[in-house]
Amino acid sequence: MDREKVQLLVISLSIVFFTLLIILFALFFYFQKKKTQFLIDKMESEIHFQSELIKTRVEIKDQTLSEISKELHDNIGQIISVAIMQVNLYLKNEEKVTKADLNELKNVLAKSLDEIRILSRIINKDNLINTNFIESIKNDFDRIKKLKNIECVFNHDETFPKINVEHELILYRIFQEAIHNSLKHSLSKKIEIDVTCEKKKLLIRLKDYGIGFDLNKTSKGLGLNNIKFRAKLIGATVSIESNNNGTILLLEYLLNKKNEN
Ligand SMILES: Nc1ncnc2c1ncn2[C@@H]1O[C@H](COP(=O)(O)OP(=O)(O)OP(=O)(O)O)[C@@H](O)[C@H]1O
Ligand SMILES: [Mg+2]
């Protein structure tokens, strides 16, 4: 091979080599950028989830406290007013106060003490944001049964699946909102929650026996939208059926490795 040909070969090989090197660098930076973007997206979605979680905690506290304040005013305030009225009557009355009168007064005061106990148990810091779904619903149902005089039925298996605690908190918030809707709008005297597990799915169903509503004509409230948004956040699906015999809200949550603890 003459010298010129060798030179040409060296130049061509150098060009090929440098082109390959540039392609390699370009690919390296491209994938590096993709990886960084993927990590940024992951971090952003984690931040979004955590901020939603904080909002959920605040809402659970707010709603529980506002219900308790309402119950303190409506129930206990009412009972104590009755007791004061009774004492006033005894004071005005010329006749002697009998043992039966005092017993009646004692019962009224004992009832208010009972209700204060129920409420103070809920205000307790540990109960206010309890991440245990079953216990939280049980507490709420106890309170609703006693203070609102509404029949509450809670059917659940002995063992609730061990799921991500943050998801469990969000599940509770969803049902706190749904129960609130049944109490506020349905006029039902009975509400029912069933918790079951089937085919790697957790199913939670809330039913009321009230007036129902037209799903296509709901007002611009936040409740139902929040329920759907939160369900999506934890990868669950929500379906609602409603007619004039009542409303059923069914939530389905997948029990896969990602969601189980
Ligand atoms: N269980 C139910 N029974 C009867 N009507 C219901 C029930 N749940 C919801 N609704 C109807 O759907 C509407 C929308 O509910 P949503 O929770 O979104 O808003 P809201 O309760 O009116 O207001 P917010 O939740 O913001 O306080 C309600 O106004 C009510 O008319
Ligand atoms: Mg609502």
Side-chain angles (χ1 to χ4, degrees):
M1 235 192 298
D2 56 28
R3 211 188 137 106
E4 227 170 76
K5 272 190 179 163
V6 170
Q7 264 179 350
L8 206 70
L9 190 69
V10 169
I11 291 170
S12 320
L13 279 176
S14 307
I15 290 172
V16 170
F17 177 74
F18 280 111
T19 315
L20 276 176
L21 207 67
I22 288 167
I23 291 173
L24 223 69
F25 268 113
L27 280 175
F28 175 77
F29 285 114
Y30 174 75
F31 284 113
Q32 199 65 24
K33 202 175 154 207
K34 274 223 139 186
K35 196 176 146 196
T36 316
Q37 192 56 46
F38 171 76
L39 290 175
I40 290 172
D41 288 350
K42 211 173 144 199
M43 258 166 65
E44 269 177 3
S45 83
E46 182 58 25
I47 289 169
H48 173 66
F49 183 78
Q50 289 303 329
S51 80
E52 276 307 318
L53 204 64
I54 292 169
K55 247 168 77 188
T56 303
R57 282 178 201 276
V58 172
E59 278 182 26
I60 289 178
K61 253 192 193 173
D62 278 2
Q63 180 142 350
T64 312
L65 288 177
S66 98
E67 275 170 25
I68 286 170
S69 123
K70 198 167 173 299
E71 275 151 16
L72 273 172
H73 176 267
D74 295 355
N75 291 51
I76 295 162
Q78 208 68 28
I79 294 171
I80 292 179
S81 300
V82 170
I84 291 172
M85 265 161 57
Q86 253 171 339
V87 171
N88 275 336
L89 245 135
Y90 298 156
L91 287 173
K92 277 188 202 150
N93 223 333
E94 304 291 297
E95 291 164 33
K96 258 179 108 182
V97 178
T98 65
K99 211 170 172 182
D101 290 336
L102 287 177
N103 256 329
E104 203 182 319
L105 185 62
K106 191 190 94 183
N107 289 340
V108 171
L109 291 174
K111 189 163 189 282
S112 74
L113 187 64
D114 234 28
E115 303 207 345
I116 288 172
R117 282 206 184 107
I118 298 171
L119 295 180
S120 74
R121 213 178 328 130
I122 296 162
I123 296 173
N124 177 304
K125 194 173 121 287
D126 296 336
N127 284 340
L128 208 51
I129 297 200
N130 186 348
T131 48
N132 184 317
F133 180 84
I134 299 284
E135 234 180 81
S136 301
I137 297 286
K138 258 189 196 160
N139 283 339
D140 284 354
F141 271 15
D142 275 353
R143 181 170 50 88
I144 296 165
K145 259 191 274 188
K146 289 197 178 120
L147 303 184
K148 293 195 193 294
N149 212 9
I150 286 178
E151 189 186 345
C152 298
V153 181
F154 188 21
N155 299 313
H156 59 90
D157 297 338
E158 269 322 300
T159 47
F160 188 77
K162 279 197 165 57
I163 61 168
N164 178 311
V165 283
E166 292 164 344
H167 287 195
E168 197 166 335
L169 190 82
I170 291 175
L171 281 179
Y172 170 60
R173 175 64 195 133
I174 290 174
F175 280 87
Q176 189 187 39
E177 188 75 55
I179 293 170
H180 182 70
N181 268 354
S182 290
L183 297 177
K184 187 171 155 194
H185 304 294
S186 80
L187 308 179
S188 174
K189 281 282 158 207
K190 181 179 176 187
I191 52 177
E192 206 174 300
I193 289 190
D194 297 305
V195 180
T196 46
C197 286
E198 61 183 53
K199 290 186 195 146
K200 286 265 149 204
K201 255 189 203 169
L202 171 66
L203 303 175
I204 311 178
R205 179 176 166 276
L206 167 74
K207 177 163 174 52
D208 69 47
Y209 297 82
I211 55 171
F213 65 107
D214 185 344
L215 289 162
N216 301 314
K217 284 191 201 147
T218 54
S219 68
K220 284 199 179 97
L222 294 174
L224 289 177
N225 282 333
N226 273 342
I227 287 176
K228 287 175 195 152
F229 170 74
R230 294 229 157 90
K232 207 169 159 199
L233 197 68
I234 57 170
T237 54
V238 161
S239 55
I240 301 172
E241 276 173 41
S242 192
N243 56 42
N244 50 13
N245 294 319
T247 301
I248 296 176
L249 183 141
L250 175 70
L251 179 138
E252 298 186 31
Y253 176 82
L254 275 184
L255 294 170
N256 53 25
K257 275 211 177 94
K258 202 175 126 231
N259 291 341
E260 278 173 311
N261 240 355

